[in-house]
Amino acid sequence: MPPSPPLPVDLSGIQLDPGGGLARQLYQALRERILDGRLPGGTRLPASRDLSQLLGISRNTVTRAFDQLYAEGYIEGHIGNGTYVVELVSVIRPTPIQALSPTPSKALQRLQVHHLPAPAEGAPRAFRVGIPALDLFPFEIWARLSARFWRKPSPARLGYGDPAGDPQLRELIAAYLRNSRGLHCDPAQIVVTCGAQQAISLCAQLLVEPGDQVAIENPGYRAAGHAFAMAGAQLKGIAVDAEGLDTAALAQVGSCRLAYVTPSHQYPTGVTLSLARRLELLDWAERDSWIVEDDYDGEYRYSGTPLAPLAALDRQGRVLYVGTFCKIAFPALRLGYLVLPLALAPLFARRRALDMRHSEIGTQAVMAEFIATGHFQRHIRTMRRAARSRRDALLAGWPEDVPGCAPVPAVNAGLHLCVRVDSLARERALIAAANQVGVELNGLSNYWLADSETPLDDRAGLVLGFASVPEPDIAKALRMLRQAWGANQQVLS
């Protein structure tokens, strides 16, 4: 048999895996060579018969690959004269490693500094911060309500939804806030969000202009500060003392567009904003500023009833109230809400629709039924009792003879506590020793703004969440801490 004529182009290097789709592989190999310039425009491709013989595949396989290239405009046929690569305006060539990328935008530059740390891995353990008692959530009830909704959902709820949230859920949130928190609001004031962080981000996007000053608690919730900084705000840290945010220090800062606060249970110090400070803060806002109140764990009050939110005292429409279901249910639920001055609510919903058209309907519908049937209120009572019991276990077993550690403070609210430490070096040594035995502790120093005037050693402390694991696990973790810290006395002393 005479040898086959040479192909018009060099297609050596094409290797096809018999275990995969051969036509797809051939199409991708030819397309790659066209895009990177190895098959330049005007190149005549071999006939399908010749190419099938070279690659050891059927002619039909080659034809299917060619058909796809024809359909996408990479090749064209000349009647009676073969198949040719089209002339592309440009080709994608390998980028040299030393090539410079475009100058990053200011937003991308800010993101290098203002971003969230990676979440902790694995199941919750002592003493992870920000996690409620996941082991007590009534998943069977939730599953039953979810199955009931999805068994025959209303077609009216399966199209594009209201970006402000499911109307029934908003009505129930308003009723819950009126009855349980003393916050009188209308459903039209509520915008459902994907957790508290999205609510805070919306406030940053719509209330702050680049260059505006924003007051935040210092130490405070750094994720909120990042959201405002990404909007171009200049963060002004305001000291926190035994009565909460220092309103006198806030007044001295000058013009601030907004103040972000956690008045019911300050994060991370755990103090409660006094009534006098609340009234002073509201008076400050009435001079043309906003207050964003984050009530992330306000349901957890261990003496008396939960405190009325700052928003319940607001008479001038200056407070935007951030609430969340994640500290009562579980963080992965990603369900929260904003209570806004009536004029702002439709604008916030309109802006939210540009990021995500609306929230997933199933979760909203199930939460609405969860509240309407009384399960939510019962679960809150269960979670409050459990958190109190787990707090007591931590307070009772905490080692009292740790060098450099202040006494454990009284804990009347929330899901975490803060223990002051006498130096940054001691904070790091305590945390390192705890990590060696598998116990999670957060350093208070991580919650301060980088440009704080407070000396480094005065920023030191330990932040512990006490709600995420049962009492036996808390007792075990405390035993391990005592052993770890006892074995490191030389380092800690």
Side-chain angles (χ1 to χ4, degrees):
M1 175 182 292
S4 301
L7 296 179
V9 294
D10 182 10
L11 295 179
S12 60
I14 293 181
Q15 299 291 330
L16 304 182
D17 179 7
L22 296 177
R24 185 69 180 175
Q25 293 179 59
L26 179 57
Y27 152 77
Q28 290 174 338
L30 294 174
R31 175 179 176 273
E32 179 181 331
R33 283 162 170 75
I34 293 170
L35 288 174
D36 66 19
R38 283 179 286 172
L39 289 177
T43 300
R44 182 181 180 182
L45 294 179
S48 58
R49 186 188 308 277
D50 297 335
L51 188 54
S52 67
Q53 292 178 356
L54 172 71
L55 299 176
I57 58 178
S58 72
R59 187 177 178 185
N60 284 340
T61 298
V62 176
T63 301
R64 288 198 301 273
F66 277 16
D67 287 344
Q68 187 65 32
L69 292 170
Y70 274 120
E72 296 184 10
Y74 291 105
I75 61 177
E76 60 186 3
H78 295 178
I79 298 176
N81 194 27
T83 302
Y84 292 80
V85 176
V86 301
E87 293 283 354
L88 299 180
V89 174
S90 62
V91 295
I92 302 173
R93 301 186 184 279
T95 303
I97 296 177
Q98 69 272 17
L100 297 178
S101 60
T103 302
S105 66
K106 290 183 179 179
L108 288 175
Q109 294 176 43
R110 287 194 290 267
L111 195 59
Q112 298 299 316
V113 176
H114 299 288
H115 59 270
L116 302 182
E121 296 181 355
R125 53 180 177 167
F127 295 98
R128 187 171 296 179
V129 175
I131 305 295
L134 305 183
D135 54 308
L136 299 180
F137 188 76
F139 288 104
E140 291 184 1
I141 293 174
W142 187 268
R144 186 168 67 249
L145 295 176
S146 181
R148 181 188 304 169
F149 172 77
W150 286 115
R151 193 172 295 121
K152 193 175 182 181
S154 167
R157 304 179 84 174
L158 298 181
Y160 289 108
D162 189 336
D166 180 65
Q168 183 185 7
L169 177 59
R170 289 157 60 202
E171 289 181 6
L172 289 164
I173 291 172
Y176 163 70
L177 293 174
R178 286 195 301 269
N179 297 331
S180 300
R181 308 308 309 280
L183 176 54
H184 293 271
C185 60
D186 188 272
Q189 294 177 252
I190 294 173
V191 172
V192 176
T193 64
C194 290
Q197 190 63 33
Q198 187 188 42
I200 296 167
S201 181
L202 281 171
C203 293
Q205 293 170 25
L206 293 177
L207 301 182
V208 175
E209 295 289 341
D212 282 349
Q213 293 191 135
V214 168
I216 63 173
E217 298 162 327
N218 196 30
Y221 181 46
R222 296 295 293 118
H226 291 324
F228 291 114
M230 283 302 299
Q234 297 181 25
L235 302 182
K236 296 295 179 180
I238 308 299
V240 175
D241 59 22
E243 292 188 65
L245 182 84
D246 186 346
T247 49
L250 173 62
Q252 296 175 1
V253 169
S255 176
C256 272
R257 182 65 173 162
L258 178 152
Y260 167 84
V261 292
T262 53
S264 294
H265 184 239
Q266 202 274 333
Y267 189 81
T269 66
V271 300
T272 298
L273 188 65
S274 67
L275 177 60
R277 295 271 180 93
R278 289 172 183 238
L279 296 176
E280 291 171 358
L281 183 58
L282 287 169
D283 182 63
W284 169 86
E286 289 175 7
R287 302 167 199 164
D288 196 28
S289 296
W290 299 102
I291 298 170
V292 175
E293 176 184 16
D294 189 350
D295 199 23
Y296 69 99
D297 64 357
E299 288 86 1
Y300 293 94
R301 189 80 186 172
Y302 307 125
S303 57
T305 58
L307 297 178
L310 182 65
L313 301 173
D314 179 25
R315 295 295 177 265
Q316 300 296 323
R318 310 310 298 174
V319 178
L320 292 80
Y321 177 85
V322 177
T324 181
F325 293 105
C326 297
K327 294 297 185 287
I328 289 294
F330 47 91
L333 188 68
R334 304 320 306 147
L335 193 61
Y337 51 91
L338 268 167
V339 181
L340 300 153
L342 192 57
L344 289 182
L347 301 177
F348 271 65
R350 190 179 300 168
R351 176 63 184 86
R352 181 175 184 266
L354 296 178
D355 287 337
M356 51 184 306
R357 190 70 171 264
H358 58 85
S359 292
E360 186 269 327
I361 185 57
T363 302
Q364 294 183 84
V366 174
M367 179 56 75
E369 189 68 14
F370 193 68
I371 297 172
T373 51
H375 296 300
F376 183 65
Q377 286 285 24
R378 284 192 290 273
H379 185 56
I380 287 178
R381 292 192 290 270
T382 298
M383 295 291 276
R384 193 179 293 143
R385 287 193 299 268
R388 181 190 295 114
S389 178
R390 294 175 184 191
R391 173 207 64 175
D392 293 344
L394 175 55
L395 296 179
W398 183 257
E400 299 179 354
D401 55 351
V402 181
C405 270
V408 177
V411 183
N412 297 316
L415 299 174
H416 73 273
L417 59 81
C418 178
V419 180
R420 295 284 182 162
V421 175
D422 65 3
S423 70
L424 184 60
R426 194 179 305 277
E427 175 197 280
R428 292 174 175 171
L430 290 168
I431 293 174
N435 285 339
Q436 290 178 357
V437 294
V439 177
E440 291 186 21
L441 300 176
N442 281 15
L444 179 62
S445 60
N446 295 327
Y447 294 87
W448 293 77
L449 291 175
D451 60 355
S452 301
E453 296 181 359
T454 303
L456 289 176
D457 284 342
D458 291 345
R459 306 181 197 179
L462 304 175
V463 182
L464 301 87
F466 51 76
S468 62
V469 296
E471 292 87 334
D473 292 340
I474 291 175
K476 178 181 178 182
L478 291 170
R479 288 195 300 270
M480 297 171 70
L481 276 185
R482 282 192 290 270
Q483 294 173 2
W485 289 347
N488 287 272
Q489 284 296 332
Q490 290 184 342
V491 176
L492 303 178
S493 60

